[in-house]
Amino acid sequence: MSVNYGAPSRHSSHASYSSRYGATPRPASSAQYGAQQGYYGGGAPGYGSAPPAHGPPPGADPQLWQWFSAVDTDRSGAISVTELQAALVNGNWTRFDLDTVKMLMSIFDTDRSGTIGFNEFAGLWKYIQDWQNVFRHFDRDRSGSIDGAELSEALRSFGYNLSPILLSLLEQKYVASGPSDRYGPPPGITFDRFVRACVVVKTLTEAFQRVDTDRDGWVQMNYEQFMKIVLSAP
Amino acid sequence: MSVNYGAPSRHSSHASYSSRYGATPRPASSAQYGAQQGYYGGGAPGYGSAPPAHGPPPGADPQLWQWFSAVDTDRSGAISVTELQAALVNGNWTRFDLDTVKMLMSIFDTDRSGTIGFNEFAGLWKYIQDWQNVFRHFDRDRSGSIDGAELSEALRSFGYNLSPILLSLLEQKYVASGPSDRYGPPPGITFDRFVRACVVVKTLTEAFQRVDTDRDGWVQMNYEQFMKIVLSAP
């Protein structure tokens, strides 16, 4: 599965809006950074655990299979929301938000089984690595989190020219903590919330564009359409 | 501070829409249930912690002050996002989502200090208790979580007659885990996500109504208005 940054969904065509919203972000650098994947044990042989229900598919990347098996702690052959959330941590060791984990599941659970199989996992893994590169690129001050200015720059580079008011709302919504948290993690937007913020902007913008058929920047919609768009976004 | 269920914001007037969306939920029962507040130590005297920066205000409820002090673990005299998140757990002992904690902060941090002072805490505490009663009332099967049918019934009782499609989207968005999580928490919507789902429906509905000035169920809005409404919701 080939995945573009910030453009994980089915829709890859973009309108040339006056505000240029809707463009696809590009790869930033090749190094890994941001989120790390923790491997929590998971069925050591001879330790009372059930044997793996499934072996690697023929031709599977052995390293990728090893990662998959480490995340699949109950050896069911598929990764659940709970297993994925347990495996994903941010650079500051905070866990990914459930909403981000569910967003990742919904993007890559292409057969709608409710879990991530090995083939789906390959796409998910690459997607997270790609976002790590984006995150590293825009975390200019190497703080391990993204601030408002860095978020603005990232979105601008993806083609989303949001107004200062929208950027401020977005930052408030996705910032993990504030400067008032003396003993909390450093202020800023963690990796998982950065990915969610970008995907939310992309999803909402594309949904708006689909309603704005004459491309004048205005839409007419009823309550049902409005709620459907908003509740479908991550 | 007096707080109505599901109607914590400034806007208490409701239009008599054909679909009756926008009405204020009512108290359900008087018993407490759902979320519990854990008290994590918090500056035991003689244990190297700083003395309290602030004593209780004159006439303060001693029990409420004790709870406030227990949550204010750094003894700063105000509760941060991090402190509030550490103190709030669901009935199944999962932590409140950061987004729910930030939503609670934004509702009750009336002086916009970024923290919750003692007077603000009184309102927050009552609000959580009120929601616990609502949650208990609608958790008909006493499972400790809300399923789709229970969520529908709760929203209907609040006056939000959402379509089956919207109810399904809402359930998918706020459910904590699925039946596929064999070893995870039981499927369903936890207390904190139930509160967030209800407040999100309320916030979005009221925002839509404010744009729908002629009350015909249709709005015309531009990209900026649309994004502003969505990003302002919890």
Side-chain angles (χ1 to χ4, degrees), chain A residues 80 102 163 172 181 224 233, chain B residues 80 102 163 172-173 181 224:
Chain A
S80 68
K102 286 179 67 181
S163 69
Q172 282 169 45
D181 271 325
E224 183 79 10
Chain B
S80 68
K102 286 179 67 181
S163 70
Q172 281 169 44
K173 192 172 173 70
D181 271 324
E224 182 79 12

Side-chain angles (χ1 to χ4, degrees), chain B residues 24 49 91:
Chain B
T24 308
S49 60

Side-chain angles (χ1 to χ4, degrees), chain A:
Chain A
M1 178 183 291
S2 120
V3 180
N4 293 319
Y5 296 120
S9 71
R10 306 117 273 175
H11 307 282
S12 56
S13 64
H14 301 287
S16 55
Y17 246 63
S18 62
S19 65
R20 282 189 62 235
Y21 65 69
T24 308
R26 298 276 186 72
S29 78
S30 61
Q32 280 178 242
Y33 189 74
Q36 295 134 16
Q37 287 70 38
Y39 306 108
Y40 291 82
Y47 215 88
S49 60
H54 306 267
D61 176 338
Q63 178 67 74
L64 198 64
W65 178 258
Q66 199 181 318
W67 287 331
F68 177 79
S69 303
V71 178
D72 177 27
T73 47
D74 71 356
R75 298 297 203 193
S76 66
I79 295 170
S80 68
V81 169
T82 308
E83 287 171 335
L84 190 58
Q85 190 176 25
L88 295 172
V89 293
N90 290 301
N92 65 354
W93 299 105
T94 55
R95 271 162 56 129
F96 276 34
D97 287 320
L98 178 59
D99 292 293
T100 308
V101 176
K102 286 179 67 181
M103 179 188 88
L104 294 172
M105 294 284 289
S106 73
I107 295 171
F108 289 97
D109 177 22
T110 46
D111 64 2
R112 297 281 167 259
S113 62
T115 56
I116 296 288
F118 180 67
N119 290 332
E120 294 167 338
F121 181 73
L124 170 64
W125 194 257
K126 185 178 181 312
Y127 185 79
I128 293 175
Q129 285 185 311
D130 288 349
W131 272 112
Q132 284 171 341
N133 295 338
V134 172
F135 187 84
R136 179 204 159 107
H137 179 78
F138 288 103
D139 179 21
R140 299 261 186 240
D141 62 0
R142 297 284 181 269
S143 64
S145 68
I146 292 279
D147 64 23
E150 291 164 345
L151 177 65
S152 306
E153 207 189 320
L155 288 168
R156 204 162 39 237
S157 84
F158 301 158
Y160 301 102
N161 288 319
L162 303 186
S163 69
I165 288 173
L166 294 184
L167 286 169
S168 170
L169 284 171
L170 197 68
E171 184 189 0
Q172 282 169 45
K173 192 172 172 70
Y174 291 100
V175 73
S177 62
S180 53
D181 271 325
R182 269 191 265 175
Y183 302 104
I189 301 170
T190 48
F191 173 74
D192 74 310
R193 294 177 74 86
F194 169 72
V195 175
R196 185 144 57 97
C198 294
V199 176
V200 162
V201 168
K202 177 181 186 294
T203 306
L204 291 173
T205 302
E206 289 178 356
F208 184 91
Q209 285 180 312
R210 279 195 292 279
V211 182
D212 182 19
T213 47
D214 64 357
R215 292 284 186 265
D216 68 349
W218 285 81
V219 295
Q220 196 172 24
M221 57 173 97
N222 61 26
Y223 179 72
E224 183 79 10
Q225 285 176 291
F226 169 74
M227 292 294 279
K228 203 171 158 186
I229 288 175
V230 182
L231 296 178
S232 301

Side-chain angles (χ1 to χ4, degrees), chain B residues 2-67:
Chain B
S2 121
V3 179
N4 293 319
Y5 297 119
S9 70
R10 304 116 274 175
H11 308 283
S12 56
S13 65
H14 301 287
S16 56
Y17 247 62
S18 61
S19 64
R20 280 188 64 233
Y21 65 70
T24 308
R26 298 275 184 73
S29 79
S30 61
Q32 279 177 242
Y33 189 74
Q36 295 134 15
Q37 286 70 39
Y39 305 108
Y40 291 82
Y47 214 90
S49 60
H54 307 267
D61 177 338
Q63 178 66 73
L64 198 64
W65 177 258
Q66 199 182 316
W67 286 331

